[in-house]
């Protein structure tokens, strides 16, 4: 049985996931604008805007996932 994670470790996980989400979403936004898929374009919700929104969501989710994997690698799974 693994020891419980301290409050400091869990706070680190939460902050890491928040930073990963924002960083990943910004990266997705940047890649989308490079590809011409502006999520906040003047044409409303056309096809390229929807693809830009998709990239922002995937980037944010990927950042959260990466932060959680790094935490698990260092401290173990907090669910146990």
């Amino acid at each position: 049985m693994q020891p419980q994670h301290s409050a400091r470790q869990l706070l680190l996980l939460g902050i890491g996931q928040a930073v990963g989400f924002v960083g990943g979403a910004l990266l997705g936004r940047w890649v989308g604008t490079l590809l011409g898929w502006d999520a906040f374009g003047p044409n409303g919700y056309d096809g390229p805007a929807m693809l830009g929104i998709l990239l922002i969501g995937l980037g944010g989710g990927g950042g959260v996932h990466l932060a959680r994997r790094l935490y698990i690698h260092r401290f173990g799974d907090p669910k146990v």
Side-chain angles (χ1 to χ4, degrees), residues 46-57:
D46 59 352
M50 295 303 286
L51 291 172
I53 292 169
L54 177 68
L55 280 180
I56 291 171

Side-chain angles (χ1 to χ4, degrees), residues 17-44:
Q17 287 180 331
V19 169
F21 175 77
V22 171
L26 288 173
L27 181 64
R29 167 89 170 120
W30 179 70
V31 169
T33 55
L34 282 178
L35 294 173
W37 301 342
D38 189 5
F40 304 108
N43 298 330

Side-chain angles (χ1 to χ4, degrees), residues 51-77:
L51 291 172
I53 292 169
L54 177 68
L55 280 180
I56 291 171
L58 288 174
V64 169
H65 183 72
L66 178 64
R68 185 162 183 83
R69 296 296 300 170
L70 290 172
Y71 178 87
I72 291 172
H73 179 71
R74 181 164 182 179
F75 297 112
D77 194 358

Side-chain angles (χ1 to χ4, degrees), residues 11 13 25 36 65:
L11 179 64
L13 173 62
H65 183 72

